[in-house]
Amino acid sequence: QVQLVESGGGLVQAGGSLRLSCAASGRIFSSYIMGWFRQAPGKEREFVAAIRWSGGSTWNADSVKGRFTISRDNAKNTVYLQMNSLKPEDTAVYYCAAGSPGRVSVPNEYAYWGQGTQVTVSS
């Protein structure tokens, strides 16, 4: 079992920055992929970024490339999502996920999920 707890969400003006954290506990395999997804009201859950827990590989959605950066600190068992140049369309609940997905951008292929943290970007 893996437990994931997100933090760092909040209200920010367009153009601002936030850093989300995902604290992981439990049995985390080095091969696991850690992903960030988001879900806006009335929309499907959307892939944002992912990183291999052992490091070396990252993936980003086209919509956030150049603005969001995913990283991890294995010593702290934490994955981060640094979000810069935020836009109103980035407003959503952001979720951390972990597992061994065949396709990193597909939510259903992750085994573990956090409760989410709200990010609101005002114009």
Side-chain angles (χ1 to χ4, degrees), residues 8-117:
L11 174 63
V12 64
Q13 288 188 332
S17 298
L18 282 174
R19 188 178 79 158
L20 305 183
S21 299
C22 172
S25 60
R27 193 171 186 183
I28 305 167
F29 293 102
S30 61
S31 60
Y32 270 5
I33 302 295
M34 307 295 292
W36 284 100
F37 291 79
R38 65 187 182 187
Q39 189 165 18
K43 294 188 176 182
E44 293 187 352
R45 196 162 292 191
E46 173 189 29
F47 171 73
V48 176
I51 188 168
R52 191 174 298 280
W53 185 250
S54 61
S57 298
T58 61
W59 300 263
N60 291 278
D62 288 343
S63 59
V64 305
K65 280 181 180 176
R67 300 190 299 124
F68 292 9
T69 303
I70 189 170
S71 62
R72 90 270 183 262
D73 185 335
N74 290 58
K76 296 183 178 180
N77 275 7
T78 301
V79 176
Y80 302 99
L81 185 68
Q82 177 67 44
M83 306 186 296
N84 299 327
S85 302
L86 282 161
K87 305 175 181 180
E89 51 263 44
D90 295 318
T91 295
V93 177
Y94 283 69
Y95 297 91
C96 180
S100 300
R103 296 165 292 178
V104 297
S105 63
V106 179
N108 289 347
E109 299 198 9
Y110 286 79
Y112 305 102
W113 289 86
Q115 293 301 306
T117 184

